[in-house]
Amino acid sequence: MSKLLLIDGHSILNRAYHGIRTLNNKDGIPTNAVYGFLNIMFKVIKDEKPDYLTVAFDVSHNTFRHEMYKEYKGKRKPADPEFRSQVPLMKETLDAMGIARYEKEGYEADDIIGTLSLEAVKKDMDVTVLSGDRDLLQLADDRVKILLPSTSMGKTDVKQYYGQDVLTDKGVTPAEFIHVKAIMGDSSDNIPGVKNIGEVKATKLIQNYHSIDAIYEHIEELKGKDKENLINDKDDLYLYLKLVTIKRDCELETAPDAGKLGDFYTPEAYELFKKLEFNNFLSRFKKDTNFPAESIVFKKDTNLPAESTVVREELTVPACLKVGFNEFKDFLSSVDKDEPVGLSFVTEGKTIYGACALTDKSEGRFCIFDDDDEEVISFFKNYSKEAKICTYDIKHAYKLISREGIPGFFDIGIGAYLLRPVKNDYNPENIAFEYLG
């Protein structure tokens, strides 16, 4: 059975924008919203394993709701310029990755998602909807799952709702949830709701009567101001009910199975990710003639000190070079623990990075010195004149480096943090060497 993933584009992009501190590339282009969106999307794709994917966006033009109620969303503040600039960038990124996106004048993303999800179920497809908007809970049922993510300091948590989960969490069914929203109103959409009736009272009313129609059928059972306000706001309340109800019969020029999920690590996406400096995503791209080689072939280098095991990888790709730490670690584990090892990367005769290390088979990590052996120190001193020496967690060797005056050291852990300050895990196995040009 196939599965469709529908993403509420503006909602997730906005949530990512506010969940991650400001990020910019070297040209000053804001990228935090796009970066956060991709992180959330990749996580959901990994967890949900969909066969089809479509990202729905709102349009700037008025929708049918504005025609019904001119004050609709009338009090919303303009979005930050840094966020607005990332909306077209997000769409460009999705296009580069070959991910289907859809928007239509007159409708909101909610309506597109509502229509596609209903059509998908009719085609015997399971549906996952990803949005930061609780309004989409009204779509939940046994075949449609709603995911509501929250992002803070680069960490994303996702809560899932089927129909029963909405009842458990909200105390009403998804269909009843629409009536609660109409009664309580929605300040973000400038829908007032019934005067002085908030979420708690609205939920209690719907739990007792199950619909707005039934409330008015039993209006004489109510007392006090709530009864008075419901009578006075009756006409408006039915308008609010129309406004908060997601339209599920939109005329769309797309279908649930239009966004077949393929390999979105394309050459176009690779170039765009480089431009945006999403460096940790680049390692996901498969080996291809359009990309830097991902496999590393180690060879002895006779031009460097004979007493050491030194390897050099000849590469012809002048673009961004990424070499996985695990590949270097595997090589280090094959040599003697006390044998000094050097590694350099060369592009068209130019040394990009050099690295020196001793293997530590007991821990299997990238380290520099285990002792004060004069031969080892001499090797590092000589080699550091030819190439920068890279290490991880330099503080363990800092005293020795400082005492011996060995120049040119670079800590890849610190470098990784400077490149990706939002990432929490800087284990050396997750760090790659990078040439940033």
Side-chain angles (χ1 to χ4, degrees):
M1 188 175 296
S2 58
K3 179 186 289 187
L4 168 65
L5 172 61
L6 296 168
I7 299 180
D8 186 349
H10 273 96
S11 175
I12 296 302
L13 193 64
N14 183 67
R15 187 163 294 274
Y17 175 76
H18 291 287
I20 298 179
R21 55 188 167 184
T22 302
L23 292 176
N24 302 279
N25 72 352
K26 62 184 178 182
D27 297 321
I29 298 174
T31 59
N32 59 316
V34 176
Y35 178 86
F37 183 103
L38 291 174
N39 269 324
I40 295 171
M41 184 184 72
F42 287 145
K43 173 176 170 50
V44 173
I45 289 175
K46 179 181 178 182
D47 294 342
E48 295 295 316
K49 299 177 175 59
D51 303 287
Y52 303 92
L53 167 62
T54 295
V55 182
F57 284 95
D58 299 321
V59 293
S60 58
H61 307 290
N62 288 345
T63 68
F64 70 91
R65 292 182 178 84
H66 293 90
E67 296 175 1
M68 297 168 56
Y69 180 60
K70 65 179 181 180
E71 291 87 3
Y72 182 65
K73 295 187 177 181
K75 293 184 179 180
R76 283 197 177 182
K77 296 180 180 179
D80 295 342
E82 290 81 6
F83 173 78
R84 292 201 305 270
S85 69
Q86 293 184 71
V87 174
L89 183 59
M90 186 73 252
K91 295 178 182 180
E92 180 185 358
T93 302
L94 294 172
D95 291 346
M97 298 174 73
I99 294 175
R101 61 179 178 87
Y102 189 80
E103 59 190 58
K104 185 170 183 178
E105 184 175 352
Y107 298 123
E108 297 181 54
D110 290 3
D111 304 310
I112 296 170
I113 290 172
T115 299
L116 289 177
S117 63
L118 183 59
E119 291 181 3
V121 171
K122 290 179 180 178
K123 293 184 177 182
D124 198 29
M125 300 169 68
D126 288 328
V127 180
T128 297
V129 175
L130 175 63
S131 176
D133 188 351
R134 289 198 311 164
D135 289 353
L136 277 95
L137 292 178
Q138 63 185 268
L139 305 180
D141 60 26
D142 292 341
R143 299 292 297 274
V144 179
K145 175 170 59 177
I146 312 298
L147 300 182
L148 296 180
S150 59
T151 303
S152 179
M153 299 301 292
K155 183 180 180 181
T156 299
D157 294 317
V158 180
K159 192 167 185 179
Q160 68 175 31
Y161 292 87
Y162 285 103
Q164 182 60 44
D165 299 313
V166 176
L167 179 59
T168 300
D169 193 47
K170 304 300 180 183
V172 293
T173 67
E176 293 171 342
F177 180 71
I178 307 172
H179 294 254
V180 172
K181 289 285 293 184
I183 297 170
M184 64 181 280
D186 188 340
S187 59
S188 66
D189 288 339
N190 198 30
I191 299 175
V194 176
K195 185 178 179 180
N196 293 330
I197 297 184
E199 184 173 5
V200 175
K201 286 184 178 180
T203 300
K204 189 67 175 177
L205 284 167
I206 295 302
Q207 286 175 334
N208 290 337
Y209 299 104
H210 306 292
S211 71
I212 291 173
D213 282 342
I215 289 174
Y216 286 112
E217 289 171 3
H218 298 83
I219 194 68
E220 295 304 322
E221 298 176 8
L222 303 180
K223 298 178 181 180
K225 285 291 184 180
D226 289 347
K227 175 181 178 180
E228 180 182 337
N229 290 332
L230 281 164
I231 292 173
N232 291 338
D233 293 346
K234 182 176 180 178
D235 290 341
D236 288 337
L237 180 54
Y238 277 100
L239 171 61
Y240 303 154
L241 181 59
K242 292 179 181 178
L243 293 174
V244 301
T245 301
I246 293 174
K247 187 173 177 62
R248 307 198 72 179
D249 58 353
C250 303
E251 296 181 2
L252 305 179
E253 294 77 31
T254 189
D257 54 0
K260 179 67 175 177
L261 196 63
D263 182 5
F264 37 67
Y265 296 111
T266 66
E268 293 80 10
Y270 183 80
E271 292 303 320
L272 184 57
F273 282 14
K274 284 202 300 179
K275 174 184 175 182
L276 299 179
E277 298 173 15
F278 293 162
N279 299 309
N280 58 323
F281 291 150
L282 295 178
S283 60
R284 301 180 182 213
F285 287 81
K286 295 180 180 179
K287 184 176 182 181
D288 187 274
T289 54
N290 295 313
F291 305 135
E294 64 180 16
S295 61
I296 302 301
V297 180
F298 293 103
K299 299 177 181 178
K300 290 275 186 152
D301 188 332
T302 57
N303 296 322
L304 291 172
E307 70 274 11
S308 63
T309 302
V310 180
V311 293
R312 172 167 292 176
E313 166 65 2
E314 300 292 344
L315 298 170
T316 59
V317 182
C320 178
L321 168 65
K322 276 185 167 279
V323 179
F325 174 82
N326 280 331
E327 290 169 307
F328 185 39
K329 185 183 71 174
D330 290 343
F331 171 77
L332 291 179
S333 65
S334 69
V335 299
D336 293 335
K337 177 177 178 180
D338 297 324
E339 185 178 15
V341 176
L343 175 67
S344 66
F345 305 127
V346 179
T347 296
E348 296 179 349
K350 175 184 176 184
T351 299
I352 298 172
Y353 274 109
C356 293
L358 293 178
T359 55
D360 186 339
K361 291 184 180 179
S362 61
E363 296 184 22
R365 67 181 179 88
F366 189 9
C367 56
I368 323 171
F369 301 110
D370 288 329
D371 53 47
D372 289 2
D373 183 86
E374 288 300 322
E375 184 178 353
V376 173
I377 293 173
S378 175
F379 164 71
F380 280 113
K381 281 184 177 181
N382 293 333
Y383 190 72
S384 65
K385 296 175 183 178
E386 298 194 17
K388 181 181 291 186
I389 298 175
C390 297
T391 185
Y392 176 78
D393 206 4
I394 201 171
K395 65 178 179 287
H396 292 298
Y398 183 75
K399 289 183 179 179
L400 183 60
I401 293 170
S402 178
R403 186 190 72 200
E404 298 296 333
I406 302 174
F409 269 83
F410 176 74
D411 189 320
I412 61 174
I414 295 174
Y417 174 79
L418 293 174
L419 288 170
R420 302 190 299 277
V422 299
K423 186 175 177 63
N424 296 319
D425 183 8
Y426 290 105
N427 185 294
E429 295 186 11
N430 297 326
I431 294 174
F433 298 114
E434 294 172 344
Y435 174 51
L436 300 180

